[in-house]
Amino acid sequence: MCQINEEDDEAFQALKAAAANKTAISRKCMSCDQDACVVVRIADPMCRKCFEEFFIHKFRSTLSKSNVFGRGERVLIAYSGGPSSTALLHLIADGLSVNARRRLQFQAHVAYIDESSLYPESTDIRDKVTDLITNRLQHPLHIVSIDDNLDKDHDFQQILTERTKSLTAREELVRRRKLKLLFDIAIRENCTKLITGDNCTKLAAQILSDMAQGKGAHVALECNLTDTRNDSVTIVRPFREIMSKEIAMYNRLNSIESLQNADISTMTGPQSSIFQLTETLVNDLQRQFPSTVSTIFRTSDKLEKNLQPHRCDLCCCPLDLSEDQSLVSDEERIKLIQQLFSPTSQNMDSVHVCYACRRLLRDVQPISHSRQK
Amino acid sequence: MHLTLEFAGGAELLFGKQKTHPIDLPDSQTPWTIRTLLVWMRDNLLRERPELFIQGDSVRPGILVLVNDIDWELLDGLNYQLKENDNILFVSTLHGG
């Protein structure tokens, strides 16, 4: 078993001492010698102007380096109301504006998944979102409720609270459900790309959490700039090299307010679910060892596995199990998957899931079981 | 000493959902630092779940601290001595947007 006894391990102590003794950071910007306002990367101080240039440049070059978008391409932006996706909208608005250098050439639509049925105190979030996107930014907006198109036996809120026993399973169900709804909107609106605001700090925590749940086969896909799990809609992650701290700083300097900061895990504590644990771990480590996130990324990028050509019906990733092993035979589970995850256009003959999704399904109890209580 | 505390990114949920808190710290023999401010906040402002905000004698990793819009890492961190009318912002970057 791998174990480090921290007191005894010399290498670990040496690293820790080096981190503690690092010389005080200079207060002048590394590029232009003005007063610095923020420290980025390992220990690089930057003034406001240089930081904003750095931030915007990282965003634009990530997009243009890879020639991701075609001219006039219809693109769907996934807006969650949180700080990353709000910053994303702001940057895209700048990039689309007439005066922009190397102007972005796609047609932007915005999707918002309304999760307010899952929280006890839902406010007028829809109005705020509409005001921001339709009135101020003037993009076509598509709002879909997370319970969209579900029959009465499959009320999503009920499935989460009564039939799913762990917060981990709830988070994972919500995550997959949101992605499926976003794909649906994109296909319906003829958008060939889906842009998300996932930043690298969150992605690093997601990678570790996925590995802990048996989804290691897909981590290279989850942290990639372009994610082609869906044949019609490619996911693009332009913030994949941007840290959550940088986004927070950019938002503050530009008075960009996020509309929603709560989700089902809010206030539950750092040990309430696997993702909460890994997010805490990544942030804790990053404080002392600033290359934590980039190391997680570099490593995950290299993890390839031979995968089947067929896709999982829950998460849409290529299957990591054989045809027989991935087949779902339980009637109730098949119905659940069809209700929550099947593309609105198709009926499914047989349902296949990957290893991690199969484990996830085990945490959702059948209807008959919960009714007995 | 009069200060303005601001909370964002979800941190405000721990402080009565209020994003801005003007406060007055009592006079003290030793100068106020962020370290002592945190202790004061835990005793006087934190409505619930202190472990979601404070870890040891600092803030939980994932919470960014800005003093007058400057990263506290540029200003001695916990040892920064507070001045009259400073604006201190605590942004939570946990469970990303």
Side-chain angles (χ1 to χ4, degrees):
Chain A
M1 276 294 281
C2 234
Q3 236 176 352
I4 298 183
N5 185 336
E6 286 189 11
E7 283 76 43
D8 292 343
D9 192 88
E10 284 177 18
F12 187 78
Q13 288 302 327
L15 267 178
K16 235 175 137 179
N21 287 337
K22 60 186 179 206
T23 46
I25 299 169
S26 146
R27 294 185 191 176
K28 293 293 182 188
C29 173
M30 58 183 276
S31 316
C32 72
D33 231 33
Q34 294 285 306
D35 284 335
C37 73
V38 62
V39 180
V40 299
R41 292 193 298 226
I42 311 254
D44 299 340
M46 284 196 183
C47 68
R48 174 182 178 154
K49 193 158 155 292
C50 294
F51 168 70
E52 288 198 24
E53 273 177 31
F54 157 81
F55 186 83
I56 295 172
H57 173 79
K58 255 212 280 202
F59 171 73
R60 299 291 224 101
S61 70
T62 302
L63 288 184
S64 59
K65 233 189 327 200
S66 40
N67 268 326
V68 180
F69 300 110
R71 182 184 285 252
E73 183 172 7
R74 288 166 72 99
V75 148
L76 186 67
I77 304 168
Y79 182 63
S80 68
S84 295
S85 52
T86 313
L88 178 68
L89 278 182
H90 201 256
L91 285 169
I92 287 179
D94 275 352
L96 288 172
S97 76
V98 188
N99 308 320
R101 252 184 326 160
R102 287 186 301 158
R103 187 177 167 197
L104 296 174
Q105 307 269 22
F106 53 71
Q107 281 184 56
H109 290 241
V110 179
Y112 175 71
I113 311 286
D114 182 358
E115 298 171 66
S116 43
S117 63
L118 304 180
Y119 311 128
E121 329 142 13
S122 28
T123 53
D124 48 351
I125 186 74
R126 274 203 191 209
D127 294 333
K128 289 188 196 153
V129 171
T130 309
D131 180 55
L132 170 65
I133 296 172
T134 309
N135 302 340
R136 287 197 273 146
L137 294 175
Q138 301 183 330
H139 293 308
L141 171 64
H142 310 281
I143 301 186
V144 163
S145 162
I146 200 161
D147 322 276
D148 185 58
N149 225 9
L150 295 175
D151 68 26
K152 59 173 174 44
D153 284 332
H154 293 96
D155 176 59
F156 197 56
Q157 215 253 336
Q158 195 186 41
I159 293 174
L160 287 185
T161 46
E162 290 173 29
R163 293 169 58 185
T164 312
K165 289 305 162 188
S166 67
L167 182 62
T168 303
R170 275 179 229 137
E171 282 175 355
E172 295 297 318
L173 275 179
V174 170
R175 178 182 156 206
R176 286 159 172 76
R177 171 79 176 152
K178 278 163 80 169
L179 185 60
K180 169 268 195 298
L181 289 172
L182 288 169
F183 278 147
D184 278 353
I185 298 174
I187 291 171
R188 192 186 72 206
E189 301 296 325
N190 287 316
C191 295
T192 37
K193 298 274 179 358
L194 173 69
I195 307 185
T196 65
D198 299 325
N199 62 65
C200 66
T201 317
K202 176 187 169 180
L203 285 172
Q206 194 80 77
I207 288 167
L208 295 181
S209 160
D210 279 351
M211 284 184 162
Q213 298 181 61
K215 217 169 189 288
H218 304 135
V219 289
L221 199 61
E222 295 274 3
C223 68
N224 215 9
L225 173 67
T226 51
D227 179 332
T228 50
R229 69 181 74 180
N230 183 308
D231 291 323
S232 325
V233 183
T234 301
I235 304 175
V236 181
R237 304 184 177 101
F239 281 170
R240 86 184 265 284
E241 287 172 39
I242 293 181
M243 308 270 312
S244 56
K245 171 179 177 178
E246 291 160 13
I247 289 175
M249 196 70 201
Y250 179 78
N251 284 353
R252 173 67 174 184
L253 293 176
N254 289 279
S255 305
I256 296 172
E257 299 242 336
S258 48
L259 297 181
Q260 181 164 287
N261 286 309
D263 58 24
I264 55 174
S265 330
T266 303
M267 299 286 268
T268 52
Q271 300 186 355
S272 53
S273 75
I274 295 181
F275 179 76
Q276 292 298 308
L277 277 170
T278 59
E279 186 181 47
T280 304
L281 174 69
V282 166
N283 278 283
D284 278 5
L285 282 177
Q286 182 74 19
R287 184 177 264 193
Q288 284 179 300
F289 307 108
S291 10
T292 299
V293 169
S294 57
T295 306
I296 294 174
F297 256 72
R298 273 202 327 271
T299 315
S300 313
D301 249 348
K302 299 177 186 157
L303 295 175
E304 281 183 33
K305 191 185 151 88
N306 279 331
L307 295 169
Q308 306 274 335
H310 302 292
R311 305 288 159 82
C312 169
D313 286 312
L314 243 82
C315 67
C316 307
C317 292
L319 289 174
D320 54 351
L321 295 172
S322 73
E323 185 95 22
D324 303 324
Q325 291 170 321
S326 59
L327 184 67
V328 177
S329 44
D330 178 70
E331 277 295 319
E332 263 205 46
R333 295 228 163 89
I334 292 179
K335 252 196 261 162
L336 179 76
I337 296 172
Q338 284 177 335
Q339 275 292 302
L340 292 180
F341 300 104
S342 91
T344 41
S345 44
Q346 296 166 16
N347 263 322
M348 294 144 82
D349 314 314
S350 60
V351 177
H352 295 264
V353 292
C354 68
Y355 179 76
C357 293
R358 207 176 60 180
R359 291 186 75 231
L360 170 62
L361 284 173
R362 282 198 210 118
D363 282 341
V364 182
Q365 289 167 352
I367 300 179
S368 41
H369 189 255
S370 53
R371 278 200 192 131
Q372 274 164 21
K373 297 207 170 162
Chain B
M1 190 191 319
H2 182 79
L3 300 172
T4 308
L5 302 183
E6 286 189 58
F7 301 97
E12 67 275 17
L13 297 172
L14 295 169
F15 294 91
K17 296 194 191 143
Q18 211 179 309
K19 290 201 168 184
T20 311
H21 288 254
I23 60 170
D24 287 286
L25 295 177
D27 291 331
S28 155
Q29 296 285 12
T30 50
W32 284 95
T33 60
I34 299 196
R35 183 180 275 114
T36 52
L37 172 67
L38 287 177
V39 176
W40 184 91
M41 285 168 70
R42 189 183 51 208
D43 294 339
N44 294 284
L45 269 190
L46 256 179
R47 298 260 176 277
E48 48 193 316
R49 314 296 303 276
E51 77 277 11
L52 294 183
F53 187 71
I54 294 188
Q55 184 166 303
D57 62 351
S58 180
V59 290
R60 210 176 144 204
I63 298 183
L64 170 67
V65 183
L66 299 180
V67 180
N68 304 322
D69 285 358
I70 299 179
D71 189 344
W72 72 333
E73 283 182 51
L74 291 167
L75 299 170
D76 293 333
L78 284 169
N79 297 320
Y80 168 76
Q81 284 188 16
L82 300 170
K83 299 188 314 293
E84 184 75 25
N85 289 323
D86 270 349
N87 178 304
I88 302 153
L89 167 69
F90 297 92
V91 190
S92 171
T93 61
L94 300 170
H95 25 270

